[in-house]
Amino acid sequence: MGKPRPSAPTISEVAAAAGVGRATAARTLGGYGYVSAEMRDRVLAAADALGYRTNQLARSVSTGVSHTIGVVVADISNPFFGGVALGISEVASARGFDALVLSTAEHLEEEINAVNVLVDKRVDGIILSSAACAADSTAHLQLPNEQGIPLVLLDRLIPGLDLDAVVIDNRAAARHATTELIAAGHSRIGFIWGPPVPERIEYRRELVEAAGRNLWSDGERLTGYLDALDDAAIPLDLDHIMLGEKTEMRAYEAVTRMLALDAAPTAFFCTETDALTGTLHALRDAGLAIPSQVSIVGFDDSSWAAVMNPPLTMVRQPMLELGRQAAELLLSRIDSGAGDAEPPMQRELETEFIERESVAPAPTHS
Amino acid sequence: MGKPRPSAPTISEVAAAAGVGRATAARTLGGYGYVSAEMRDRVLAAADALGYRTNQLARSVSTGVSHTIGVVVADISNPFFGGVALGISEVASARGFDALVLSTAEHLEEEINAVNVLVDKRVDGIILSSAACAADSTAHLQLPNEQGIPLVLLDRLIPGLDLDAVVIDNRAAARHATTELIAAGHSRIGFIWGPPVPERIEYRRELVEAAGRNLWSDGERLTGYLDALDDAAIPLDLDHIMLGEKTEMRAYEAVTRMLALDAAPTAFFCTETDALTGTLHALRDAGLAIPSQVSIVGFDDSSWAAVMNPPLTMVRQPMLELGRQAAELLLSRIDSGAGDAEPPMQRELETEFIERESVAPAPTHS
DNA sequence: CTGTTAGCGCGTTCAC
DNA sequence: GTGAACGCGCTAACAG
């Protein structure tokens, strides 16, 4: 029997100290049922004399509601997920819920484990940004619903599954960004980064397929890029798509390699922060000026993008809003209980294209 | 009686299905006590036939251990706290603990509330980055210990209190940074930002005192700055200290104002990210080049600092390490139970001065 | 080794 | 209105 700690006073102790029955104490302390003003005062007095605090754990096993939601993301230190987490806890805490947040480092095993942990701790709902992509390897996403725990997907859809989700319109965002680059006169646009396949890709179809096998949002961004190229009838150059492991270092190398091409890109679209910093490094080392020699557009607007030299043109994602809406959707599901109500819904938030000074007309080669 | 959900199977149901006593089922499922291999198999089979999952909540009320720690920070979307949170959950989850993370937006009330919530949810320990400063207004920091819940302070000490804590050596970091600036030939160094007092300050003593009344880490950084000035026998110019609300906008205004001074700073030490971006904005608008016309050193090294034009010299804080060590300290306290063992300890981590290209000799005025 | 029984702290029904 | 008594799901003595 574990209570190695300075015993926290229980409701019974308070009742005893107040000279009333346990139930009466429970009613006043729990704020339900009827209790006379006089009794209430006695109980309340005894309660804070003893420093009584409700044991929410015990309450939860009794009521079946923990007032806790689970949040599982790839990496809480990533400002994107940090913003999302803040949005979530804003609306959650306003409604009396707290968040148990777990990071998975994009590992499916850890994600599975995270879901199990959350289910076992009886959270009232889960918000999850899954690393899963194929409709296989998603058994763990069934579990919560089997246990009656609402689940909403965040930032990343899973193609085969019809689940609640709140995401960004990545495809439209990428299409917009690429189109702007094209409008500025660019036709050779580096895409940093594409699917993390190691092998060289020969055909467009392979590329699209590879993207589909990996992270959904990345695939969407690539598709948007392709859309824009198609719109302008610009042929796809597979050498302009970064493949392989997605790290800043790899981005650096990919850009450096592209720059050495005969048909080197005159612009780069960087779909993530690390992709952007890697690209920036490469451009600096290549001695290329932005935007006179090469243009650039980034994803994930951060405070520093505006303060760069030159200020960077970016597509901004509404991180807080993403979190807020996911939390709202989840809470509404929690409210309606197992009343197997509405069908799953996917909400898609718009991004904003922030025009600054890193895009200029393509240099006219002599 | 709440169970509005698709009932999760209980240990009793598993026992029944397996045709054994509840205790036997409990033992095998709980992994304790003795149980024959044959029985175990029967139980295990029944368990996963029913899809049994331990209710950790119930287990916790029984054992008094929740395997959950509370983390309260000002703002989880701040990359600094995000990094810290990741460090914490790394070591915590390796030991089977999960983190309930709450953001307070630097509001003392929310901090107090957060601590109450965590205590009520019976977390096994708390890591907290407090907005409190004076030794008054810290009653809420007593509560956990009264309830036998270990608490470790993170990133911010509270002068009057002797509690476990893991922090950065802010004073040494600021002293180092300022000294570097001085060594480069600067004597008029803007400090962005100082204490958030609205009024103009006339004397150094007032300044130090004002700093002391506010955030500890800010006070330390200011003190380090003062140390460096003293070391070099450079008189303090109060006009070079930013006062007032700490926002990017205010930093912008403060720097702009300082730049208009007869004795304008030739260098700036920015003690936080927003202070840095605000300063950068102001310098750009003033048309001043870095580092030829003005030098700059920032705090909170971020990936983008290296990719700026020019690359920024920064003092880097070991965020992950901060989180990891806080978690380790907390877990060790949890391990030793209420065995009122070791006295509180404060660990102080060193920062790293990253020299890049935003510091140059002070321009020699004609 | 197994099953019985009594807790853990709180919610809730149901006579008094 | 009030309090005794039982249930939530699990742990843990204790007999057998």
Side-chain angles (χ1 to χ4, degrees):
Chain A
M1 203 106 319
K3 193 169 49 176
R5 305 251 183 79
S7 62
T10 80
I11 225 172
S12 303
E13 301 183 53
V14 173
V20 306
R22 320 167 190 301
T24 303
R27 273 190 289 259
T28 82
L29 263 14
Y32 60 93
Y34 297 90
V35 54
S36 68
E38 187 192 4
M39 294 261 124
R40 173 179 9 257
D41 290 349
R42 288 231 307 269
V43 172
L44 258 29
D48 76 33
L50 295 181
Y52 171 80
R53 308 231 96 233
T54 301
N55 183 335
Q56 298 290 357
L57 244 45
R59 189 200 293 259
S60 292
V61 343
S62 193
T63 59
V65 177
S66 63
H67 283 280
T68 302
I69 66 176
V71 175
V72 8
V73 296
D75 173 8
I76 190 59
S77 78
N78 179 323
F80 174 77
F81 288 119
V84 167
L86 183 62
I88 292 173
S89 55
E90 270 181 19
V91 346
S93 78
R95 298 238 346 231
F97 284 76
D98 306 295
L100 216 33
V101 357
L102 310 186
S103 294
T104 67
E106 302 285 15
H107 292 330
L108 196 54
E109 317 158 38
E110 296 198 35
E111 179 176 318
I112 294 173
N113 185 58
V115 171
N116 285 337
V117 166
L118 293 174
V119 168
D120 290 353
K121 289 202 172 173
R122 296 300 190 266
V123 295
D124 294 331
I126 297 177
I127 293 176
L128 177 152
S129 184
S130 182
C133 232
D136 55 337
S137 72
T138 56
H140 62 296
L141 300 183
Q142 303 297 111
L143 179 59
N145 269 300
E146 281 168 12
Q147 305 273 337
I149 299 176
L151 168 71
V152 1
L153 256 25
L154 180 89
D155 185 50
R156 302 171 185 179
L157 245 33
I158 298 177
L161 301 185
D162 186 32
L163 296 173
D164 282 317
V166 179
V167 300
I168 290 288
D169 190 345
N170 288 290
R171 183 170 179 175
R175 183 182 202 148
H176 186 164
T178 308
T179 298
E180 293 280 350
L181 251 12
I182 293 172
H186 299 273
S187 59
R188 301 202 300 270
I189 302 170
F191 183 85
I192 318 294
W193 40 52
V197 294
E199 339 87 46
R200 182 172 158 65
I201 284 188
E202 299 288 347
Y203 301 102
R204 173 174 173 147
R205 197 177 48 200
E206 279 182 73
L207 177 69
V208 172
E209 191 200 323
R213 279 199 315 274
N214 292 284
L215 209 53
W216 173 81
S217 49
D218 287 348
E220 287 290 296
R221 290 174 193 176
L222 178 58
T223 306
Y225 167 85
L226 260 23
D227 287 342
L229 255 39
D230 290 348
D231 289 345
I234 295 174
L236 169 63
D237 184 337
L238 286 164
D239 287 329
H240 290 170
I241 309 289
M242 165 179 168
L243 262 25
E245 198 192 1
K246 300 185 292 184
T247 65
E248 178 176 350
M249 190 46 136
R250 293 317 194 151
Y252 175 93
E253 296 167 358
V255 170
T256 300
R257 195 163 38 236
M258 289 183 201
L259 255 16
L261 259 27
D262 281 342
T266 58
F268 289 91
F269 176 37
C270 305
T271 64
E272 225 168 88
T273 301
D274 289 348
L276 177 59
T277 53
T279 300
L280 256 14
H281 260 128
L283 294 181
R284 174 201 304 288
D285 285 358
L288 262 18
I290 304 171
S292 61
Q293 294 178 280
V294 47
S295 292
I296 202 163
V297 175
F299 226 97
D300 284 346
D301 189 43
S302 326
S303 61
W304 54 272
V307 89
M308 294 277 302
N309 254 318
L312 265 25
T313 294
M314 306 282 286
V315 4
R316 169 189 299 159
Q317 309 190 74
M319 311 176 301
L320 261 76
E321 199 53 29
L322 201 60
R324 287 197 199 104
Q325 296 217 18
E328 269 157 17
L329 178 52
L330 183 68
L331 290 176
S332 79
R333 294 305 190 189
I334 291 175
D335 285 342
S336 45
D340 42 0
E342 337 287 296
M345 66 183 301
Q346 283 85 242
R347 211 168 299 182
E348 211 169 47
L349 305 188
E350 292 306 313
T351 57
E352 191 184 351
F353 187 77
I354 312 276
E355 213 161 339
R356 285 196 275 249
E357 300 167 29
S358 62
V359 175
T364 48
H365 277 201
S366 51
Chain B
M1 200 107 320
K3 194 168 50 178
R5 304 249 184 78
S7 61
T10 80
I11 224 172
S12 302
E13 300 182 53
V14 174
V20 305
R22 320 169 189 300
T24 304
R27 273 190 289 259
T28 82
L29 264 13
Y32 61 94
Y34 298 89
V35 55
S36 68
E38 186 192 5
M39 293 260 122
R40 172 181 7 257
D41 290 349
R42 288 232 308 269
V43 172
L44 258 28
D48 78 33
L50 295 182
Y52 171 82
R53 306 232 99 233
T54 301
N55 182 335
Q56 298 289 359
L57 246 45
R59 188 199 294 257
S60 292
V61 334
S62 193
T63 59
V65 177
S66 62
H67 283 283
T68 302
I69 66 176
V71 175
V72 8
V73 296
D75 173 8
I76 189 59
S77 78
N78 179 323
F80 174 78
F81 288 119
V84 167
L86 183 62
I88 292 174
S89 55
E90 270 181 20
V91 346
S93 78
R95 298 238 346 231
F97 284 77
D98 307 296
L100 216 33
V101 356
L102 310 185
S103 293
T104 66
E106 303 286 15
H107 291 331
L108 196 54
E109 317 159 38
E110 296 197 34
E111 180 176 318
I112 294 173
N113 185 58
V115 171
N116 285 336
V117 165
L118 293 174
V119 168
D120 290 353
K121 289 202 173 173
R122 296 302 189 267
V123 294
D124 295 331
I126 298 178
I127 293 177
L128 175 151
S129 184
S130 182
C133 232
D136 55 335
S137 72
T138 56
H140 62 295
L141 300 183
Q142 303 297 112
L143 179 59
N145 270 299
E146 282 168 12
Q147 307 271 338
I149 299 177
L151 167 71
V152 0
L153 256 25
L154 180 89
D155 184 50
R156 301 171 185 179
L157 246 32
I158 298 178
L161 301 185
D162 186 32
L163 296 173
D164 281 319
V166 180
V167 299
I168 290 289
D169 190 345
N170 288 289
R171 184 171 176 175
R175 183 181 203 151
H176 186 163
T178 308
T179 299
E180 293 281 350
L181 252 10
I182 293 172
H186 298 273
S187 60
R188 299 202 301 269
I189 302 169
F191 184 85
I192 316 295
W193 41 51
V197 294
E199 339 87 47
R200 182 171 159 65
I201 284 188
E202 299 290 346
Y203 300 103
R204 173 173 173 149
R205 199 177 46 199
E206 278 182 73
L207 177 68
V208 172
E209 190 201 323
R213 280 199 315 272
N214 292 284
L215 209 53
W216 173 80
S217 50
D218 287 349
E220 287 290 296
R221 290 174 194 176
L222 178 58
T223 305
Y225 166 86
L226 259 23
D227 287 342
L229 255 40
D230 290 348
D231 289 346
I234 295 174
L236 168 65
D237 185 338
L238 286 163
D239 286 331
H240 290 170
I241 309 291
M242 167 180 167
L243 263 24
E245 200 191 0
K246 300 186 291 184
T247 66
E248 179 176 352
M249 190 46 137
R250 293 318 193 149
Y252 175 92
E253 296 167 358
V255 170
T256 301
R257 193 163 40 234
M258 289 182 201
L259 255 16
L261 258 28
D262 280 343
T266 58
F268 289 92
F269 176 37
C270 304
T271 64
E272 223 168 89
T273 300
D274 289 348
L276 177 59
T277 53
T279 301
L280 255 16
H281 260 128
L283 293 181
R284 174 202 304 288
D285 286 358
L288 261 18
I290 304 171
S292 60
Q293 294 178 281
V294 48
S295 291
I296 201 164
V297 175
F299 226 97
D300 285 344
D301 189 43
S302 325
S303 61
W304 54 271
V307 90
M308 294 278 301
N309 254 317
L312 265 25
T313 294
M314 306 280 285
V315 2
R316 171 189 299 158
Q317 308 189 75
M319 310 176 302
L320 259 76
E321 200 52 28
L322 201 60
R324 287 197 198 104
Q325 298 217 18
E328 268 157 18
L329 179 51
L330 183 68
L331 289 176
S332 79
R333 294 306 190 188
I334 292 175
D335 285 342
S336 44
D340 42 1
E342 336 290 293
M345 66 183 300
Q346 285 84 239
R347 209 167 302 182
E348 211 169 47
L349 305 188
E350 292 307 312
T351 57
E352 191 183 353
F353 187 77
I354 313 275
E355 212 161 340
R356 285 196 277 249
E357 302 167 27
S358 62
V359 175
T364 49
H365 277 202
S366 53

